[in-house]
Amino acid sequence: MRIVVQEAPFDFGAEAAGFAAGRHDMGAVVTFTGIVRDRPGGSLQAMEIEHYPGMTQKALEKIAAEAVERWSLGDALVIHRYGRLEPGAQIMMVATAAPHRKDAFEAAEYLMDYLKSRAPFWKKEYCAETGTWVAAKEEDEAALTRW
């Protein structure tokens, strides 16, 4: 299990290729990459993501450890960026490896849902030089009920 919180961009291709490489006991690898989405009308200039390093790392490790245990994953990867990101930039990556595809898919969805709602990141969107904090969304909270 590897958890990375970084400001720099990551190479999705390299990360995906290296994830679970050489593991012949895994029958499925699922990957997901979150991207900064522009607002309707193309008004988003940037998103600023803030975090508290020690707290964030521990929270992500806990969420990933729960997924590894619940779905008996062979491996899990979470990369999450912080700092100023423009539309189209990669925010995060999740990868899961399991003997069977159902576990890999479910664990990846679990990780994505919990990262969206429970990871201690604070996001601010900038449009026309005005910054607005991103509030929690009901649909993101509701997504957690299935777990």
Side-chain angles (χ1 to χ4, degrees):
M1 182 174 80
R2 184 165 68 101
I3 310 300
V4 180
V5 180
Q6 65 187 42
E7 188 170 10
F10 57 89
D11 181 337
F12 173 80
E15 294 292 348
F19 179 72
R23 295 286 308 259
H24 302 290
D25 56 334
M26 297 295 108
V29 171
V30 171
T31 61
F32 171 82
T33 302
I35 311 243
V36 176
R37 178 182 55 237
D38 203 347
R39 298 181 77 134
S43 62
L44 183 69
Q45 293 174 333
M47 175 182 283
E48 184 80 30
I49 300 175
E50 297 180 6
H51 75 109
Y52 181 72
M55 181 174 70
T56 302
Q57 186 75 27
K58 286 182 182 178
L60 298 185
E61 287 171 359
K62 183 177 185 238
I63 292 167
E66 289 169 1
V68 167
E69 183 176 325
R70 184 171 178 174
W71 283 277
S72 300
L73 298 179
D75 205 357
L77 167 68
V78 175
I79 301 172
H80 205 297
R81 294 181 62 201
Y82 63 90
R84 188 173 178 91
L85 305 172
E86 294 179 359
Q90 296 172 332
I91 298 175
M92 54 85 72
M93 176 182 179
V94 165
T96 56
H100 304 284
R101 70 176 181 256
K102 183 177 183 202
D103 287 343
F105 273 108
E106 287 181 2
E109 286 189 88
Y110 173 89
L111 286 170
M112 292 178 292
D113 285 346
Y114 271 81
L115 290 170
K116 180 80 172 172
S117 298
R118 294 294 183 261
F121 290 99
W122 297 272
K123 300 172 185 172
K124 194 175 212 179
E125 292 181 337
Y126 288 91
C127 299
E129 301 305 321
T130 301
T132 305
W133 290 105
V134 177
K137 296 178 182 165
E138 281 187 37
E139 61 264 23
D140 293 335
E141 288 298 314
L144 298 179
T145 62
R146 68 182 175 142
W147 307 114

